[in-house]
């Protein structure tokens, strides 16, 4: 079951904040966040495990609400380098299941 | 440290032709993945290897797709014969750990165009 990401796209000015959401209809074991720039490989940002703490990567942080079966990615004081497509990948059930990626959220940061 | 290497980066073929993609994972990574990524979509798993063994190939269309990972290092993904709908980016990834709760390192992908 593919997770649903929202919004589909967002445009920010440098220094603004954004939130990207990832929701699943099934119980989740972990949520993985990746960023992919156009024509490049997806790059790992962070993993949130069931029962784990909120994670952080530079000025990007994320939370995982197990009860709501959703994760949110928080981008603070955005930089031009944050532009790209953000994907969440969900691992379901008791774990060790293939990641199912959402369709992505396209983020554009402009000067 | 060298990243995941894939070749070729681009491939254009006519339908019904065979095609092969090659991947060299990060040294020491025992787990290797092949993903398919369509335009505007996230990666979709095709197959996962633990060393030489394919431990999850349920998503691989076995009528035309095949993969191998001889000696547990490099891997090759083959399509024979290719169809128009196979046009996509084929990503290879590797990880240190033996399950999905690990950071995956992706290669740049091979963009396949089937005419």
């Amino acid at each position: 079951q593919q997770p649903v990401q929202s919004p589909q796209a967002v445009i920010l000015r440098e220094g603004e904040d954004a939130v990207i959401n990832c929701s699943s209809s099934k119980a989740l074991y972990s949520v993985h966040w990746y960023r992919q720039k156009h024509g490049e490989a997806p790059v790992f940002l962070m993993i949130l495990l069931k029962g784990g703490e909120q994670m952080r990567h530079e000025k990007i942080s994320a939370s995982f609400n197990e009860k709501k079966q959703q994760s949110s990615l928080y981008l603070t004081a955005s930089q031009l380098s944050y532009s790209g497509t953000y994907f969440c990948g969900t691992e379901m059930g008791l774990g060790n299941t293939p990641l199912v990626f959402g369709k992505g959220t396209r983020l554009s940061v402009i000067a | 440290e060298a990243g995941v290497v894939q070749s070729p980066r681009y491939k254009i073929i006519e339908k019904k032709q065979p095609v092969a993609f090659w991947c060299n994972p990060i040294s020491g990574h025992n787990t290797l993945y092949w993903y398919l990524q369509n335009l505007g979509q996230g990666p979709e798993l095709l197959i996962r290897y633990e060393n030489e063994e394919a431990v999850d190939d349920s998503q691989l269309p076995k009528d035309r797709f095949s993969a191998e990972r001889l000696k547990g290092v490099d891997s090759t993904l083959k399509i024979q014969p290719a169809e128009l709908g196979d046009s996509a980016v084929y990503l290879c990834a590797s990880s240190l750990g033996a399950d999905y709760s690990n950071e995956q390192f992706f290669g740049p992908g091979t963009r396949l165009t089937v005419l």
Side-chain angles (χ1 to χ4, degrees):
Chain A
Q1 191 78 16
Q2 186 176 39
V4 177
Q5 289 187 233
S6 62
Q8 290 185 332
V10 58
I11 299 175
L12 298 175
R13 291 196 178 277
E14 271 187 294
E16 291 182 338
D17 302 339
V19 180
I20 299 173
N21 298 304
C22 174
S23 298
S24 173
S25 59
K26 294 188 177 290
L28 299 177
Y29 180 81
S30 70
V31 179
H32 303 223
W33 285 97
Y34 286 80
R35 177 172 61 208
Q36 185 176 31
K37 294 183 181 289
H38 184 69
E40 299 182 7
V43 174
F44 172 82
L45 294 175
M46 62 191 80
I47 294 174
L48 298 105
L49 296 173
K50 189 175 180 179
E53 299 177 352
Q54 185 174 15
M55 298 299 290
R56 190 167 199 87
H57 171 84
E58 298 175 349
K59 290 185 178 179
I60 300 173
S61 61
S63 63
F64 179 19
N65 187 319
E66 298 162 35
K67 287 186 178 178
K68 292 185 177 180
Q69 297 167 180
Q70 67 182 35
S71 175
S72 295
L73 190 72
Y74 306 94
L75 297 99
T76 305
S78 58
Q79 306 167 14
L80 294 175
S81 61
Y82 285 3
S83 293
T85 300
Y86 289 77
F87 292 100
C88 68
T90 53
E91 185 183 14
M92 298 181 195
L94 299 178
N96 205 22
T97 59
L99 294 185
V100 179
F101 287 91
K103 292 186 177 182
T105 294
R106 180 175 292 182
L107 177 72
S108 300
V109 181
I110 58 176
Chain B
E1 178 184 88
V4 176
V5 179
Q6 290 188 247
S7 69
R9 290 294 314 277
Y10 305 91
K11 189 74 177 179
I12 301 174
I13 60 172
E14 293 190 346
K15 63 181 180 181
K16 301 185 181 180
Q17 294 298 306
V19 64
F21 314 125
W22 176 80
C23 172
N24 180 244
I26 292 174
S27 178
H29 282 195
N30 296 327
T31 307
L32 183 145
Y33 313 78
W34 281 103
Y35 287 91
L36 176 154
Q37 186 174 28
N38 286 306
L39 190 65
Q41 301 288 325
E44 300 171 38
L45 181 71
L46 290 172
I47 190 168
R48 174 171 75 106
Y49 280 94
E50 286 298 327
N51 299 305
E52 305 89 0
E53 183 182 0
V55 296
D56 192 340
D57 63 354
S58 57
Q59 305 298 318
L60 189 73
K62 298 181 182 64
D63 57 336
R64 297 184 300 107
F65 286 65
S66 65
E68 60 182 13
R69 192 183 183 197
L70 302 176
K71 300 181 182 179
V73 182
D74 296 359
S75 178
T76 303
L77 178 69
K78 298 178 181 178
I79 308 175
Q80 183 172 11
E83 297 179 352
L84 295 176
D86 296 332
S87 295
V89 175
Y90 292 82
L91 295 165
C92 178
S94 67
S95 67
L96 198 56
D99 60 48
Y100 289 100
S101 297
N102 285 279
E103 176 181 356
Q104 295 183 28
F105 295 82
F106 284 84
T110 296
R111 181 177 296 275
L112 173 67
T113 301
V114 182
L115 303 175

mmCIF file with all atom_site columns, all heavy atoms in Angstrom, chain B residues 1-5 23-32 69 73 93-96 104-106:
data_model
loop_
_atom_site.group_PDB
_atom_site.id
_atom_site.type_symbol
_atom_site.label_atom_id
_atom_site.label_alt_id
_atom_site.label_comp_id
_atom_site.label_asym_id
_atom_site.label_entity_id
_atom_site.label_seq_id
_atom_site.pdbx_PDB_ins_code
_atom_site.Cartn_x
_atom_site.Cartn_y
_atom_site.Cartn_z
_atom_site.occupancy
_atom_site.B_iso_or_equiv
_atom_site.pdbx_formal_charge
_atom_site.auth_seq_id
_atom_site.auth_comp_id
_atom_site.auth_asym_id
_atom_site.auth_atom_id
_atom_site.pdbx_PDB_model_num
ATOM 1   N N   . GLU B 1 1   ? 35.309 7.445   -0.191  1.00 0.00 ? 1   GLU B N   1
ATOM 2   C CA  . GLU B 1 1   ? 34.681 6.125   -0.448  1.00 0.00 ? 1   GLU B CA  1
ATOM 3   C C   . GLU B 1 1   ? 33.851 6.212   -1.716  1.00 0.00 ? 1   GLU B C   1
ATOM 4   O O   . GLU B 1 1   ? 33.037 7.120   -1.866  1.00 0.00 ? 1   GLU B O   1
ATOM 5   C CB  . GLU B 1 1   ? 33.798 5.753   0.738   1.00 0.00 ? 1   GLU B CB  1
ATOM 6   C CG  . GLU B 1 1   ? 33.074 4.436   0.562   1.00 0.00 ? 1   GLU B CG  1
ATOM 7   C CD  . GLU B 1 1   ? 32.129 4.156   1.736   1.00 0.00 ? 1   GLU B CD  1
ATOM 8   O OE1 . GLU B 1 1   ? 30.977 4.590   1.685   1.00 0.00 ? 1   GLU B OE1 1
ATOM 9   O OE2 . GLU B 1 1   ? 32.583 3.489   2.684   1.00 0.00 ? 1   GLU B OE2 1
ATOM 10  N N   . ALA B 1 2   ? 34.084 5.277   -2.634  1.00 0.00 ? 2   ALA B N   1
ATOM 11  C CA  . ALA B 1 2   ? 33.332 5.280   -3.877  1.00 0.00 ? 2   ALA B CA  1
ATOM 12  C C   . ALA B 1 2   ? 31.892 4.897   -3.598  1.00 0.00 ? 2   ALA B C   1
ATOM 13  O O   . ALA B 1 2   ? 31.597 4.070   -2.731  1.00 0.00 ? 2   ALA B O   1
ATOM 14  C CB  . ALA B 1 2   ? 33.959 4.288   -4.850  1.00 0.00 ? 2   ALA B CB  1
ATOM 15  N N   . GLY B 1 3   ? 30.981 5.504   -4.361  1.00 0.00 ? 3   GLY B N   1
ATOM 16  C CA  . GLY B 1 3   ? 29.573 5.196   -4.197  1.00 0.00 ? 3   GLY B CA  1
ATOM 17  C C   . GLY B 1 3   ? 29.164 4.011   -5.048  1.00 0.00 ? 3   GLY B C   1
ATOM 18  O O   . GLY B 1 3   ? 30.008 3.295   -5.605  1.00 0.00 ? 3   GLY B O   1
ATOM 19  N N   . VAL B 1 4   ? 27.879 3.811   -5.183  1.00 0.00 ? 4   VAL B N   1
ATOM 20  C CA  . VAL B 1 4   ? 27.353 2.742   -6.027  1.00 0.00 ? 4   VAL B CA  1
ATOM 21  C C   . VAL B 1 4   ? 27.548 3.161   -7.488  1.00 0.00 ? 4   VAL B C   1
ATOM 22  O O   . VAL B 1 4   ? 27.178 4.271   -7.868  1.00 0.00 ? 4   VAL B O   1
ATOM 23  C CB  . VAL B 1 4   ? 25.864 2.504   -5.728  1.00 0.00 ? 4   VAL B CB  1
ATOM 24  C CG1 . VAL B 1 4   ? 25.288 1.465   -6.682  1.00 0.00 ? 4   VAL B CG1 1
ATOM 25  C CG2 . VAL B 1 4   ? 25.675 2.081   -4.272  1.00 0.00 ? 4   VAL B CG2 1
ATOM 26  N N   . VAL B 1 5   ? 28.118 2.250   -8.245  1.00 0.00 ? 5   VAL B N   1
ATOM 27  C CA  . VAL B 1 5   ? 28.406 2.548   -9.647  1.00 0.00 ? 5   VAL B CA  1
ATOM 28  C C   . VAL B 1 5   ? 27.443 1.768   -10.531 1.00 0.00 ? 5   VAL B C   1
ATOM 29  O O   . VAL B 1 5   ? 27.234 0.561   -10.324 1.00 0.00 ? 5   VAL B O   1
ATOM 30  C CB  . VAL B 1 5   ? 29.858 2.178   -9.995  1.00 0.00 ? 5   VAL B CB  1
ATOM 31  C CG1 . VAL B 1 5   ? 30.146 2.465   -11.468 1.00 0.00 ? 5   VAL B CG1 1
ATOM 32  C CG2 . VAL B 1 5   ? 30.826 2.945   -9.105  1.00 0.00 ? 5   VAL B CG2 1
ATOM 33  N N   . CYS B 1 23  ? 25.717 -3.185  -12.000 1.00 0.00 ? 23  CYS B N   1
ATOM 34  C CA  . CYS B 1 23  ? 25.821 -2.421  -10.759 1.00 0.00 ? 23  CYS B CA  1
ATOM 35  C C   . CYS B 1 23  ? 26.979 -2.943  -9.919  1.00 0.00 ? 23  CYS B C   1
ATOM 36  O O   . CYS B 1 23  ? 27.125 -4.155  -9.719  1.00 0.00 ? 23  CYS B O   1
ATOM 37  C CB  . CYS B 1 23  ? 24.527 -2.539  -9.955  1.00 0.00 ? 23  CYS B CB  1
ATOM 38  S SG  . CYS B 1 23  ? 24.606 -1.818  -8.290  1.00 0.00 ? 23  CYS B SG  1
ATOM 39  N N   . ASN B 1 24  ? 27.769 -2.020  -9.412  1.00 0.00 ? 24  ASN B N   1
ATOM 40  C CA  . ASN B 1 24  ? 28.825 -2.359  -8.459  1.00 0.00 ? 24  ASN B CA  1
ATOM 41  C C   . ASN B 1 24  ? 28.521 -1.642  -7.154  1.00 0.00 ? 24  ASN B C   1
ATOM 42  O O   . ASN B 1 24  ? 28.566 -0.408  -7.103  1.00 0.00 ? 24  ASN B O   1
ATOM 43  C CB  . ASN B 1 24  ? 30.186 -1.934  -9.005  1.00 0.00 ? 24  ASN B CB  1
ATOM 44  C CG  . ASN B 1 24  ? 31.318 -2.258  -8.047  1.00 0.00 ? 24  ASN B CG  1
ATOM 45  O OD1 . ASN B 1 24  ? 31.995 -1.372  -7.524  1.00 0.00 ? 24  ASN B OD1 1
ATOM 46  N ND2 . ASN B 1 24  ? 31.523 -3.529  -7.784  1.00 0.00 ? 24  ASN B ND2 1
ATOM 47  N N   . PRO B 1 25  ? 28.182 -2.374  -6.100  1.00 0.00 ? 25  PRO B N   1
ATOM 48  C CA  . PRO B 1 25  ? 27.782 -1.716  -4.845  1.00 0.00 ? 25  PRO B CA  1
ATOM 49  C C   . PRO B 1 25  ? 28.982 -1.172  -4.082  1.00 0.00 ? 25  PRO B C   1
ATOM 50  O O   . PRO B 1 25  ? 30.132 -1.391  -4.460  1.00 0.00 ? 25  PRO B O   1
ATOM 51  C CB  . PRO B 1 25  ? 27.127 -2.868  -4.068  1.00 0.00 ? 25  PRO B CB  1
ATOM 52  C CG  . PRO B 1 25  ? 27.876 -4.081  -4.534  1.00 0.00 ? 25  PRO B CG  1
ATOM 53  C CD  . PRO B 1 25  ? 28.163 -3.825  -5.993  1.00 0.00 ? 25  PRO B CD  1
ATOM 54  N N   . ILE B 1 26  ? 28.706 -0.496  -3.004  1.00 0.00 ? 26  ILE B N   1
ATOM 55  C CA  . ILE B 1 26  ? 29.761 0.004   -2.127  1.00 0.00 ? 26  ILE B CA  1
ATOM 56  C C   . ILE B 1 26  ? 30.477 -1.190  -1.505  1.00 0.00 ? 26  ILE B C   1
ATOM 57  O O   . ILE B 1 26  ? 29.827 -2.161  -1.077  1.00 0.00 ? 26  ILE B O   1
ATOM 58  C CB  . ILE B 1 26  ? 29.178 0.934   -1.056  1.00 0.00 ? 26  ILE B CB  1
ATOM 59  C CG1 . ILE B 1 26  ? 28.670 2.219   -1.722  1.00 0.00 ? 26  ILE B CG1 1
ATOM 60  C CG2 . ILE B 1 26  ? 30.200 1.263   0.020   1.00 0.00 ? 26  ILE B CG2 1
ATOM 61  C CD1 . ILE B 1 26  ? 27.933 3.144   -0.784  1.00 0.00 ? 26  ILE B CD1 1
ATOM 62  N N   . SER B 1 27  ? 31.783 -1.096  -1.453  1.00 0.00 ? 27  SER B N   1
ATOM 63  C CA  . SER B 1 27  ? 32.575 -2.190  -0.914  1.00 0.00 ? 27  SER B CA  1
ATOM 64  C C   . SER B 1 27  ? 32.135 -2.551  0.499   1.00 0.00 ? 27  SER B C   1
ATOM 65  O O   . SER B 1 27  ? 31.971 -1.671  1.357   1.00 0.00 ? 27  SER B O   1
ATOM 66  C CB  . SER B 1 27  ? 34.055 -1.777  -0.907  1.00 0.00 ? 27  SER B CB  1
ATOM 67  O OG  . SER B 1 27  ? 34.848 -2.792  -0.348  1.00 0.00 ? 27  SER B OG  1
ATOM 68  N N   . GLY B 1 28  ? 31.910 -3.834  0.711   1.00 0.00 ? 28  GLY B N   1
ATOM 69  C CA  . GLY B 1 28  ? 31.521 -4.300  2.034   1.00 0.00 ? 28  GLY B CA  1
ATOM 70  C C   . GLY B 1 28  ? 30.020 -4.378  2.256   1.00 0.00 ? 28  GLY B C   1
ATOM 71  O O   . GLY B 1 28  ? 29.566 -4.914  3.268   1.00 0.00 ? 28  GLY B O   1
ATOM 72  N N   . HIS B 1 29  ? 29.258 -3.838  1.325   1.00 0.00 ? 29  HIS B N   1
ATOM 73  C CA  . HIS B 1 29  ? 27.798 -3.909  1.452   1.00 0.00 ? 29  HIS B CA  1
ATOM 74  C C   . HIS B 1 29  ? 27.307 -5.243  0.920   1.00 0.00 ? 29  HIS B C   1
ATOM 75  O O   . HIS B 1 29  ? 27.385 -5.522  -0.272  1.00 0.00 ? 29  HIS B O   1
ATOM 76  C CB  . HIS B 1 29  ? 27.146 -2.757  0.678   1.00 0.00 ? 29  HIS B CB  1
ATOM 77  C CG  . HIS B 1 29  ? 27.216 -1.453  1.389   1.00 0.00 ? 29  HIS B CG  1
ATOM 78  N ND1 . HIS B 1 29  ? 26.445 -0.370  1.032   1.00 0.00 ? 29  HIS B ND1 1
ATOM 79  C CD2 . HIS B 1 29  ? 27.964 -1.045  2.444   1.00 0.00 ? 29  HIS B CD2 1
ATOM 80  C CE1 . HIS B 1 29  ? 26.705 0.650   1.842   1.00 0.00 ? 29  HIS B CE1 1
ATOM 81  N NE2 . HIS B 1 29  ? 27.633 0.261   2.700   1.00 0.00 ? 29  HIS B NE2 1
ATOM 82  N N   . ASN B 1 30  ? 26.743 -6.045  1.808   1.00 0.00 ? 30  ASN B N   1
ATOM 83  C CA  . ASN B 1 30  ? 26.288 -7.361  1.399   1.00 0.00 ? 30  ASN B CA  1
ATOM 84  C C   . ASN B 1 30  ? 24.899 -7.348  0.773   1.00 0.00 ? 30  ASN B C   1
ATOM 85  O O   . ASN B 1 30  ? 24.522 -8.276  0.080   1.00 0.00 ? 30  ASN B O   1
ATOM 86  C CB  . ASN B 1 30  ? 26.267 -8.305  2.610   1.00 0.00 ? 30  ASN B CB  1
ATOM 87  C CG  . ASN B 1 30  ? 27.661 -8.537  3.164   1.00 0.00 ? 30  ASN B CG  1
ATOM 88  O OD1 . ASN B 1 30  ? 28.638 -8.551  2.410   1.00 0.00 ? 30  ASN B OD1 1
ATOM 89  N ND2 . ASN B 1 30  ? 27.762 -8.696  4.463   1.00 0.00 ? 30  ASN B ND2 1
ATOM 90  N N   . THR B 1 31  ? 24.155 -6.305  1.045   1.00 0.00 ? 31  THR B N   1
ATOM 91  C CA  . THR B 1 31  ? 22.781 -6.236  0.538   1.00 0.00 ? 31  THR B CA  1
ATOM 92  C C   . THR B 1 31  ? 22.712 -5.337  -0.684  1.00 0.00 ? 31  THR B C   1
ATOM 93  O O   . THR B 1 31  ? 23.230 -4.217  -0.667  1.00 0.00 ? 31  THR B O   1
ATOM 94  C CB  . THR B 1 31  ? 21.832 -5.714  1.625   1.00 0.00 ? 31  THR B CB  1
ATOM 95  O OG1 . THR B 1 31  ? 21.988 -6.497  2.803   1.00 0.00 ? 31  THR B OG1 1
ATOM 96  C CG2 . THR B 1 31  ? 20.383 -5.797  1.166   1.00 0.00 ? 31  THR B CG2 1
ATOM 97  N N   . LEU B 1 32  ? 22.097 -5.832  -1.719  1.00 0.00 ? 32  LEU B N   1
ATOM 98  C CA  . LEU B 1 32  ? 21.978 -5.085  -2.972  1.00 0.00 ? 32  LEU B CA  1
ATOM 99  C C   . LEU B 1 32  ? 20.533 -5.112  -3.438  1.00 0.00 ? 32  LEU B C   1
ATOM 100 O O   . LEU B 1 32  ? 19.843 -6.136  -3.326  1.00 0.00 ? 32  LEU B O   1
ATOM 101 C CB  . LEU B 1 32  ? 22.899 -5.713  -4.036  1.00 0.00 ? 32  LEU B CB  1
ATOM 102 C CG  . LEU B 1 32  ? 22.967 -5.016  -5.404  1.00 0.00 ? 32  LEU B CG  1
ATOM 103 C CD1 . LEU B 1 32  ? 24.384 -5.134  -5.992  1.00 0.00 ? 32  LEU B CD1 1
ATOM 104 C CD2 . LEU B 1 32  ? 21.940 -5.566  -6.369  1.00 0.00 ? 32  LEU B CD2 1
ATOM 105 N N   . ARG B 1 69  ? 23.765 -12.112 -9.185  1.00 0.00 ? 69  ARG B N   1
ATOM 106 C CA  . ARG B 1 69  ? 24.796 -11.456 -8.384  1.00 0.00 ? 69  ARG B CA  1
ATOM 107 C C   . ARG B 1 69  ? 25.853 -12.510 -8.070  1.00 0.00 ? 69  ARG B C   1
ATOM 108 O O   . ARG B 1 69  ? 25.895 -13.068 -6.968  1.00 0.00 ? 69  ARG B O   1
ATOM 109 C CB  . ARG B 1 69  ? 24.229 -10.854 -7.104  1.00 0.00 ? 69  ARG B CB  1
ATOM 110 C CG  . ARG B 1 69  ? 25.227 -9.936  -6.413  1.00 0.00 ? 69  ARG B CG  1
ATOM 111 C CD  . ARG B 1 69  ? 24.705 -9.402  -5.105  1.00 0.00 ? 69  ARG B CD  1
ATOM 112 N NE  . ARG B 1 69  ? 25.674 -8.468  -4.519  1.00 0.00 ? 69  ARG B NE  1
ATOM 113 C CZ  . ARG B 1 69  ? 25.658 -8.083  -3.260  1.00 0.00 ? 69  ARG B CZ  1
ATOM 114 N NH1 . ARG B 1 69  ? 24.732 -8.543  -2.423  1.00 0.00 ? 69  ARG B NH1 1
ATOM 115 N NH2 . ARG B 1 69  ? 26.563 -7.228  -2.814  1.00 0.00 ? 69  ARG B NH2 1
ATOM 116 N N   . VAL B 1 73  ? 29.006 -9.711  -5.228  1.00 0.00 ? 73  VAL B N   1
ATOM 117 C CA  . VAL B 1 73  ? 29.462 -8.331  -5.330  1.00 0.00 ? 73  VAL B CA  1
ATOM 118 C C   . VAL B 1 73  ? 28.667 -7.625  -6.425  1.00 0.00 ? 73  VAL B C   1
ATOM 119 O O   . VAL B 1 73  ? 27.577 -7.120  -6.175  1.00 0.00 ? 73  VAL B O   1
ATOM 120 C CB  . VAL B 1 73  ? 30.977 -8.257  -5.596  1.00 0.00 ? 73  VAL B CB  1
ATOM 121 C CG1 . VAL B 1 73  ? 31.442 -6.812  -5.662  1.00 0.00 ? 73  VAL B CG1 1
ATOM 122 C CG2 . VAL B 1 73  ? 31.734 -8.987  -4.496  1.00 0.00 ? 73  VAL B CG2 1
ATOM 123 N N   . ALA B 1 93  ? 20.878 -0.036  -5.497  1.00 0.00 ? 93  ALA B N   1
ATOM 124 C CA  . ALA B 1 93  ? 21.220 0.488   -4.181  1.00 0.00 ? 93  ALA B CA  1
ATOM 125 C C   . ALA B 1 93  ? 21.896 -0.612  -3.375  1.00 0.00 ? 93  ALA B C   1
ATOM 126 O O   . ALA B 1 93  ? 21.724 -1.804  -3.670  1.00 0.00 ? 93  ALA B O   1
ATOM 127 C CB  . ALA B 1 93  ? 19.975 0.991   -3.445  1.00 0.00 ? 93  ALA B CB  1
ATOM 128 N N   . SER B 1 94  ? 22.644 -0.206  -2.367  1.00 0.00 ? 94  SER B N   1
ATOM 129 C CA  . SER B 1 94  ? 23.243 -1.198  -1.484  1.00 0.00 ? 94  SER B CA  1
ATOM 130 C C   . SER B 1 94  ? 23.175 -0.707  -0.051  1.00 0.00 ? 94  SER B C   1
ATOM 131 O O   . SER B 1 94  ? 23.003 0.497   0.205   1.00 0.00 ? 94  SER B O   1
ATOM 132 C CB  . SER B 1 94  ? 24.702 -1.485  -1.884  1.00 0.00 ? 94  SER B CB  1
ATOM 133 O OG  . SER B 1 94  ? 25.538 -0.362  -1.661  1.00 0.00 ? 94  SER B OG  1
ATOM 134 N N   . SER B 1 95  ? 23.254 -1.634  0.868   1.00 0.00 ? 95  SER B N   1
ATOM 135 C CA  . SER B 1 95  ? 23.251 -1.277  2.281   1.00 0.00 ? 95  SER B CA  1
ATOM 136 C C   . SER B 1 95  ? 24.123 -2.254  3.047   1.00 0.00 ? 95  SER B C   1
ATOM 137 O O   . SER B 1 95  ? 24.394 -3.377  2.599   1.00 0.00 ? 95  SER B O   1
ATOM 138 C CB  . SER B 1 95  ? 21.832 -1.254  2.862   1.00 0.00 ? 95  SER B CB  1
ATOM 139 O OG  . SER B 1 95  ? 21.277 -2.549  2.899   1.00 0.00 ? 95  SER B OG  1
ATOM 140 N N   . LEU B 1 96  ? 24.529 -1.795  4.229   1.00 0.00 ? 96  LEU B N   1
ATOM 141 C CA  . LEU B 1 96  ? 25.412 -2.608  5.062   1.00 0.00 ? 96  LEU B CA  1
ATOM 142 C C   . LEU B 1 96  ? 24.627 -3.676  5.809   1.00 0.00 ? 96  LEU B C   1
ATOM 143 O O   . LEU B 1 96  ? 25.070 -4.806  5.965   1.00 0.00 ? 96  LEU B O   1
ATOM 144 C CB  . LEU B 1 96  ? 26.134 -1.686  6.045   1.00 0.00 ? 96  LEU B CB  1
ATOM 145 C CG  . LEU B 1 96  ? 27.386 -2.214  6.728   1.00 0.00 ? 96  LEU B CG  1
ATOM 146 C CD1 . LEU B 1 96  ? 28.406 -2.671  5.706   1.00 0.00 ? 96  LEU B CD1 1
ATOM 147 C CD2 . LEU B 1 96  ? 27.988 -1.111  7.606   1.00 0.00 ? 96  LEU B CD2 1
ATOM 148 N N   . GLN B 1 104 ? 19.971 3.055   2.730   1.00 0.00 ? 104 GLN B N   1
ATOM 149 C CA  . GLN B 1 104 ? 20.301 2.531   1.416   1.00 0.00 ? 104 GLN B CA  1
ATOM 150 C C   . GLN B 1 104 ? 21.037 3.609   0.623   1.00 0.00 ? 104 GLN B C   1
ATOM 151 O O   . GLN B 1 104 ? 20.646 4.769   0.622   1.00 0.00 ? 104 GLN B O   1
ATOM 152 C CB  . GLN B 1 104 ? 19.036 2.098   0.674   1.00 0.00 ? 104 GLN B CB  1
ATOM 153 C CG  . GLN B 1 104 ? 18.327 0.937   1.343   1.00 0.00 ? 104 GLN B CG  1
ATOM 154 C CD  . GLN B 1 104 ? 17.112 0.454   0.574   1.00 0.00 ? 104 GLN B CD  1
ATOM 155 O OE1 . GLN B 1 104 ? 17.037 0.585   -0.645  1.00 0.00 ? 104 GLN B OE1 1
ATOM 156 N NE2 . GLN B 1 104 ? 16.154 -0.120  1.291   1.00 0.00 ? 104 GLN B NE2 1
ATOM 157 N N   . PHE B 1 105 ? 22.099 3.192   -0.041  1.00 0.00 ? 105 PHE B N   1
ATOM 158 C CA  . PHE B 1 105 ? 22.888 4.084   -0.865  1.00 0.00 ? 105 PHE B CA  1
ATOM 159 C C   . PHE B 1 105 ? 22.559 3.775   -2.325  1.00 0.00 ? 105 PHE B C   1
ATOM 160 O O   . PHE B 1 105 ? 22.785 2.650   -2.779  1.00 0.00 ? 105 PHE B O   1
ATOM 161 C CB  . PHE B 1 105 ? 24.385 3.873   -0.598  1.00 0.00 ? 105 PHE B CB  1
ATOM 162 C CG  . PHE B 1 105 ? 24.807 4.246   0.789   1.00 0.00 ? 105 PHE B CG  1
ATOM 163 C CD1 . PHE B 1 105 ? 24.623 3.365   1.851   1.00 0.00 ? 105 PHE B CD1 1
ATOM 164 C CD2 . PHE B 1 105 ? 25.388 5.477   1.038   1.00 0.00 ? 105 PHE B CD2 1
ATOM 165 C CE1 . PHE B 1 105 ? 25.011 3.698   3.143   1.00 0.00 ? 105 PHE B CE1 1
ATOM 166 C CE2 . PHE B 1 105 ? 25.792 5.822   2.326   1.00 0.00 ? 105 PHE B CE2 1
ATOM 167 C CZ  . PHE B 1 105 ? 25.593 4.935   3.371   1.00 0.00 ? 105 PHE B CZ  1
ATOM 168 N N   . PHE B 1 106 ? 22.050 4.776   -3.012  1.00 0.00 ? 106 PHE B N   1
ATOM 169 C CA  . PHE B 1 106 ? 21.615 4.581   -4.389  1.00 0.00 ? 106 PHE B CA  1
ATOM 170 C C   . PHE B 1 106 ? 22.691 4.988   -5.384  1.00 0.00 ? 106 PHE B C   1
ATOM 171 O O   . PHE B 1 106 ? 23.467 5.925   -5.156  1.00 0.00 ? 106 PHE B O   1
ATOM 172 C CB  . PHE B 1 106 ? 20.361 5.411   -4.684  1.00 0.00 ? 106 PHE B CB  1
ATOM 173 C CG  . PHE B 1 106 ? 19.100 4.841   -4.102  1.00 0.00 ? 106 PHE B CG  1
ATOM 174 C CD1 . PHE B 1 106 ? 18.746 5.093   -2.788  1.00 0.00 ? 106 PHE B CD1 1
ATOM 175 C CD2 . PHE B 1 106 ? 18.262 4.052   -4.881  1.00 0.00 ? 106 PHE B CD2 1
ATOM 176 C CE1 . PHE B 1 106 ? 17.564 4.570   -2.253  1.00 0.00 ? 106 PHE B CE1 1
ATOM 177 C CE2 . PHE B 1 106 ? 17.086 3.529   -4.368  1.00 0.00 ? 106 PHE B CE2 1
ATOM 178 C CZ  . PHE B 1 106 ? 16.749 3.789   -3.049  1.00 0.00 ? 106 PHE B CZ  1
#
